[in-house]
Amino acid sequence: MTRKNKLRVGQPLGNRSASGRKRDRAPIRVEPCEGVLRRRQAYQLVANDTDTCDALGRAYSAGLLGTGEHAKSLMIAGRKIAGQYWRVLGFPTPDSLARFQPRAPSTPMDPEREKIMEAALNDGLAMVRALSRDHRRAFDMLVIDPNPDCGPAWLDRIVYAHRRGEAPREADLAFLRLAKEGLEVLA
């Protein structure tokens, strides 16, 4: 004979109905993971901010792209070119950030439209490359390279220095300046 009131392994505690179901079925609040909590603390963000899913968003959240609508337009321009880039190349493997990654359309894309999109991507990258090779390298680190949790290292050092009230290294600021100039060309 089994005991009716005995809970199974993993079953939450609480008042139960005659059938054994929990009476209070309010959704249980799940706290964010350590990485999200760490980024919120580092960037002093509100709970529902999702701009820190990439390096460009973290730079925007830290105020390194400027303020107001101009900074927002730089972030949007950078994300647009990154989306075009990865749509053409494709991500190597799907991961937990798949919802932020551009996907190939479910239906075959019109070859003419595909050529137009690729030409627009190449034109944008050529404009950044025309500034200098260093501009393109810094731009790629901030905008193109997938840095979901941290990176590039120079951006992390700038944010850390600002958080501690110290002056960032000049070499790190030079990378930021070059990447920002590349974004200015696109915006």
Side-chain angles (χ1 to χ4, degrees):
M1 183 171 210
T2 61
R3 244 176 97 193
K4 275 191 151 187
N5 297 337
K6 186 174 180 184
L7 296 176
R8 290 187 297 269
V9 175
Q11 194 173 10
L13 297 173
N15 292 335
R16 306 221 167 251
S17 66
S19 66
R21 286 189 179 171
K22 205 171 166 196
R23 287 192 192 273
D24 180 26
R25 287 184 258 170
I28 299 170
R29 177 156 167 72
V30 178
E31 293 299 318
C33 68
E34 285 181 25
V36 171
L37 291 173
R38 181 178 40 81
R39 284 198 305 259
R40 280 187 196 163
Q41 180 187 12
Y43 296 95
Q44 285 105 27
L45 299 174
V46 295
N48 59 356
D49 191 7
T50 59
D51 281 334
T52 60
C53 66
D54 61 350
L56 186 59
R58 289 192 300 277
Y60 170 75
S61 296
L64 300 176
L65 299 181
T67 58
E69 288 300 314
H70 181 67
K72 185 92 169 167
S73 68
L74 290 179
M75 182 180 69
I76 290 170
R79 284 188 173 167
K80 182 178 177 185
I81 197 108
Q84 289 173 337
Y85 183 89
W86 288 109
R87 195 170 288 114
V88 170
L89 261 61
F91 279 95
T93 57
D95 59 7
S96 63
L97 296 173
R99 66 185 178 139
F100 298 111
Q101 299 168 352
R103 287 184 221 117
S106 57
T107 59
M109 188 180 279
D110 178 35
E112 289 300 316
R113 179 172 158 77
E114 193 171 349
K115 284 180 187 178
I116 291 170
M117 288 177 65
E118 191 169 347
L121 168 67
N122 290 334
D123 290 344
L125 293 177
M127 290 178 2
V128 175
R129 194 179 312 112
L131 293 173
S132 77
R133 193 169 165 191
D134 292 333
H135 281 86
R136 174 64 196 266
R137 195 172 107 213
F139 178 84
D140 283 354
M141 282 188 228
L142 183 66
V143 177
I144 303 292
D145 295 346
N147 294 305
D149 292 324
C150 60
W154 53 267
L155 176 65
D156 293 340
R157 286 191 297 262
I158 291 172
V159 170
Y160 183 70
H162 278 294
R163 192 174 66 193
R164 294 188 65 194
E166 299 172 356
R169 292 176 18 186
E170 188 57 41
D172 296 337
L173 290 175
F175 271 113
L176 177 64
R177 182 181 46 79
L178 292 172
K180 194 173 171 185
E181 288 172 5
L183 282 170
E184 294 279 352
V185 169
L186 295 175

